[in-house]
Amino acid sequence: MPDGDVGWTLVGFLECLDAWIERESPPDDLRYTVTAWIMTRYDDPYQGVRRENRYPNLWFGPIPETGHGLGYVVACAYWVEEETRTVRCDSFATLSLL
């Protein structure tokens, strides 16, 4: 992070993570991978995701290293508020790549 920049504030990520775990009961290694990825949002919430065209502040993408089963990956959607440097989690989900 360049000098003078302040990290981002993350909101709702742990609650959404808990809801995903409750809903899908992923294995521990997958939980750890997703949790570690959440921490990367503090420095750069735009890394590895793309903006949804219909919603100017909604970002979405697959989480690296979460491919599992027969073509499944964990993805996350969240809102980025530039003015307040806030990243607000919308949801985690396991999606099919097929």
Side-chain angles (χ1 to χ4, degrees), residues 35-56:
T35 302
W37 176 86
I38 290 170
M39 298 302 113
T40 68
R41 303 300 92 182
Y42 280 112
D43 294 327
D44 184 359
Y46 304 107
Q47 180 184 15
V49 294
R50 63 179 168 80
R51 189 178 64 80
E52 289 298 311
N53 290 332
R54 292 182 285 162
Y55 303 96

Side-chain angles (χ1 to χ4, degrees), residues 7-45:
W8 294 80
T9 300
L10 305 185
V11 177
F13 278 85
L14 296 182
E15 294 83 358
C16 288
L17 177 67
D18 288 343
W20 171 71
I21 290 170
E22 179 72 24
R23 189 174 57 247
E24 300 187 18
S25 301
D28 288 343
D29 60 334
L30 202 52
R31 294 177 196 196
Y32 297 139
T33 300
V34 172
T35 302
W37 176 86
I38 290 170
M39 298 302 113
T40 68
R41 303 300 92 182
Y42 280 112
D43 294 327
D44 184 359

Side-chain angles (χ1 to χ4, degrees), residues 6-11 45-46 57 79-88:
V6 177
W8 294 80
T9 300
L10 305 185
V11 177
Y46 304 107
N57 297 330
W79 302 88
V80 175
E81 300 168 9
E82 287 276 340
E83 291 176 8
T84 61
R85 294 188 61 83
T86 301
V87 183
R88 189 173 310 279

